[in-house]
Each structure stands twice: as C-alpha cells, then as structure tokens.
C-alpha cells in the first residue's frame, strides 16, 4: 500500500485548520485504520500520544461504534483534539456573528499580560490580540468558545515575533518584526473562522481524552483492555528533537486557563512541558541488560553527554512499549521516525521491532514514506559535516497473538 500521499493538501480538511508540530498524514492513518478497525463491533482504541488528534479524529469518522481513548501531556494538544472530536454547536454562525459584532464595537477590554510578552509581541499586536481574547471570553457556548481558541492559536503564532521556520521560540530579525501587519489580524481571524467552521461538525461521543503523562495514564488499564493501539510517539527527547511544549507555550499563555486542562505546573516556564515529556529528565532507573543490548549499536559511538540523554529517552520509551503491549489485545500500529545523534542514526523503528519480537508479537506489516519537510532541512550540519536529518517515517503494525506471547 502506498502511503506517501504526495498530493495530500492539509488545507482541504480539519487538520489544516490548526498548526501543531510533527503531525501524522491523516489519509495514510485512515487507510491503515480501515484495515484493522472492526466497524460492526465496538472497537476500543487508544492513542497515548494523540497530539493534534489526527488518528483519533480519523477513526471517529470510520465508525461511530469505536470507543476512543487518548492521552497527551500537552494541554494545547488536548484542546485541539477535544475540539476536533466535539465540533461546534449548531448555532456556530450566530456565535461568529456575535463575535464579529463585539470586535466591531468599542468594547472595554484588559490588555493581556504574561512574563516577557513584550519580547514576543509588538505593543499594537498585544492590543489587538487582547481585544480578540476578550471577545472570545464573552462567548457562552463551551464548544464554540473552544473552536474560537483553536483558530486563535494560529494568530498567536503568526503575528508573534518568533520565526515560523522553527518550532522553537526564536526571534525574527528586526526588519521582519517591523513588517508584521497588525491591521490585518482581525480580518485574518474572521476569515479563518468562516473557512474552518465547516470542518468542526463531528460531535463524537468518545470515551476519554486525558491530559497526562502517558506512562502514568496507561498504568491504570487492565491487561488486554484495548483492541487497537495507534500512535506516533516522540522520536527523541523534545529538547533536542521537536519541542512541542515550547511551540505551544505562547498559545497556552494567551488562552484563558479556564478553558485548558491544566494540572498547575504547565505555565511555569516556556519549556516545562518539554522537560516533563518522554525522555525530558534523567531517571534513576537504569536500562536492563536486555534493553542495553538493543540500544548498544546506536549509542556506543556517541558523545558521553548525549548518551545520557538517549538512554534517558530509551528508559521512558521502553516503559511505554511494555505498557502498550500489556494493555492491547490486538493490533499495535506505530508511526516512527529515526533521528541522528552525533551523525549516528538511532533506529527507533528497529529498536521497537526488536522489543516486539522479543516479547513475542507477530509482525503484520510495515509501510514507509518520505517526509515532506518544511521546518527542518533535509540535510543538517553537525561539526561542519553535512548529514541527513530524519527524512523517512515508518508505520509498523504488530499483533498480540496470545499463543506467541512471552511474559511482558
Ligand atoms: C509525534 S507527536 C503526536 C502527533 C500526532 N500523531 C498528530 O498527528 O498530531 C508526539 C506527542 O507526544 C506528546 N508527549 C510527549 N511526551 C509525552 C508523555 N510523557 N506523555 C504524554 N504525551 C507525551 C507530545 O506532547 C506530542 O503531542
């Protein structure tokens, strides 16, 4: 099956209405899911790293009988996924008209503030975003207000002083900052709401979307609870791969905290979500001998400091894999990328397959596609040597077949 989807244009569906890093290709996930989801039975499915909810939204559109569970540590991911699955109210047109009226009026509003806001936004941009924020806050319908926030998140990024070429917070050069046209913000926002609303009509009755650390979250489920696990886990610690938390931080500072699922620590600083994510902090628990053997070929030639980080990520990743195997009774479908550290490819796909094979899972299928890169160059320079960055993505499908299983 060809899953390259070279022609896929995100703008043609719900996934193109909001920017989130390293998302899955929706039609590829749908094609794969169609092969494994039982549309007649109430399949229980989980995505433990749902991000912007690509796989969960796609499965919801395959069958209304699917029971959906998911988890992500990032509150912005939860807001997006929940809104995609919930959709808007039936009165969304009226809600948008009311919002436009408020924006066209001389409404009183507070100028929003958070630490360092002046670094990331020009004063006139802060004023306009504050007005839109206040207008959104006045929307009484919870579904419509959340839809307004999701679309607002694009403005928070587009009109900020941070570059669009990277997911990290990185100041634009001053001439680019001077060129930001704040007069266009409201117009841009209203247009995006009008264009985006048609996609948010799902109203899906899912089971549970958690905002939590997956390793903790998965622990509570009984063995074999889920029929299918589908996910794309991070492929390295967020700090040195994709900083989902840093990317989301400005958005999280702008959105009313009452509309976010927060544990309390998420707004402490710009990168705290990345530090709490998979491999983000060093753990006391070491790799076992068996685990070490699996990763040794990749870490034996990299710098000592970086080895610590890779091992720390692998510690979390192995724990995730064991939980994934334990709680799933049927198919495990993982979309994986392989990163490079010190010019050495860390073959996460091979590592994952090794674990699945050791644990006795049955190999069902493998697909690969080239990643169309926009924010990371295909070739990056390390110590003045050009090496290829992560350019391929793999989807592996394994099955837990009771008689083959070793103790997990
Ligand atoms: C590759 S992205 C998933 C993207 C998603 N498939 C999509 O299409 O949008 C990986 C996700 O894992 C989340 N994550 C990282 N560490 C986590 C952890 N310990 N617990 C839960 N989620 C975590 C990140 O916040 C990020 O959203």
């Amino acid at each position: 099956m060809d899953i390259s989807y070279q022609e896929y244009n995100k703008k043609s569906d719900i996934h193109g209405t909001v920017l989130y890093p390293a998302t899955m290709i929706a039609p590829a996930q749908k094609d794969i899911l169609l092969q494994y989801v039982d549309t007649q039975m109430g399949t229980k499915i989980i995505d433990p790293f749902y991000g912007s909810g690509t796989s969960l939204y796609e499965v919801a559109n395959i069958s209304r009988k699917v029971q959906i569970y998911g988890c992500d540590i990032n509150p912005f991911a939860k807001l997006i996924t929940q809104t995609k699955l919930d959709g808007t109210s039936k009165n969304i047109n009226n809600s948008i008209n009311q919002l436009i009226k408020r924006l066209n009026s001389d409404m009183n509003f507070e100028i929003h503030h958070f630490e360092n806001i002046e670094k990331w936004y020009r004063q006139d941009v802060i004023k306009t975003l504050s007005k839109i924020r206040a207008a959104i806050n006045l929307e009484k319908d919870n579904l419509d207000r959340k839809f307004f926030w999701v679309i607002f998140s694009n403005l928070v990024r587009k009109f900020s002083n941070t570059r669009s070429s990277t997911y990290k917070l990185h100041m634009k050069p001053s001439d680019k900052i001077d060129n930001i046209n704040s007069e266009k913000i409201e117009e841009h926002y209203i247009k995006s709401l009008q264009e985006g609303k048609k996609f948010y009509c799902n109203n899906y009755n899912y089971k549970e979307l958690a905002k939590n650390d997956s390793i903790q979250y998965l622990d509570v489920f009984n063995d074999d609870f889920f029929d299918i696990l589908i996910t794309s886990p991070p492929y390295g610690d967020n700090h040195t791969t994709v900083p989902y938390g840093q990317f989301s931080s400005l958005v999280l500072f702008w959105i009313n905290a009452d509309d976010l699922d927060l544990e309390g620590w998420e707004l402490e600083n710009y990168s705290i979500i990345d530090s709490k994510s998979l491999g983000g902090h060093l753990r006391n628990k070491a790799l076992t001998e068996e685990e070490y053997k699996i990763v040794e070929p990749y870490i034996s030639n990299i710098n000592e400091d970086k080895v610590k980080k890779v091992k720390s990520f692998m510690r979390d990743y192995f724990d995730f894999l064991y939980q994934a195997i334990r709680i799933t009774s049927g198919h495990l479908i993982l979309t994986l990328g392989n990163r490079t550290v010190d010019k050495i490819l860390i073959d996460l796909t091979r590592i994952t397959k090794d674990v699945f094979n050791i644990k006795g899972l049955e190999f069902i299928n493998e697909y690969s596609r080239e990643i169309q890169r926009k924010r990371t160059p295909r070739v990056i320079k390390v110590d003045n040597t050009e090496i290829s960055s992560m350019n391929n993505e793999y989807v592996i499908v394994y099955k837990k077949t009771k008689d083959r299983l070793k103790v997990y």
Side-chain angles (χ1 to χ4, degrees), residues 5-18 24-28 30 54 57-58 61 84 192 195-201 374:
Y5 286 95
Q6 302 287 3
E7 303 302 312
Y8 171 57
N9 178 2
K10 249 191 178 186
K11 290 212 170 97
S12 61
D13 66 20
I14 194 167
H15 307 296
T17 60
V18 55
M24 290 169 168
I25 298 296
K30 187 169 185 179
T54 312
Y57 178 85
E58 292 305 319
N61 284 299
K84 281 184 184 174
S192 307
E195 285 173 3
K197 69 180 182 198
K198 63 177 174 292
F199 297 119
Y200 286 78
C201 45
K374 289 204 189 83

Side-chain angles (χ1 to χ4, degrees), residues 67-79:
Q67 295 180 36
I68 288 174
Y69 291 75
C71 183
D72 203 288
I73 200 163
N74 183 350
F76 181 41
K78 173 154 181 189
L79 178 74

Side-chain angles (χ1 to χ4, degrees), residues 20-24 47-55 71-74 77 212-215 231-234 238 244 273 276-278:
Y20 194 77
T23 55
M24 290 169 168
D47 184 343
F49 303 100
Y50 54 62
S52 64
T54 312
S55 62
C71 183
D72 203 288
I73 200 163
N74 183 350
N212 203 342
D213 174 1
S214 288
I215 298 172
T231 200
S232 62
N238 289 10
Y244 301 96
I273 295 175
K276 300 239 182 198
S277 292
L278 224 65

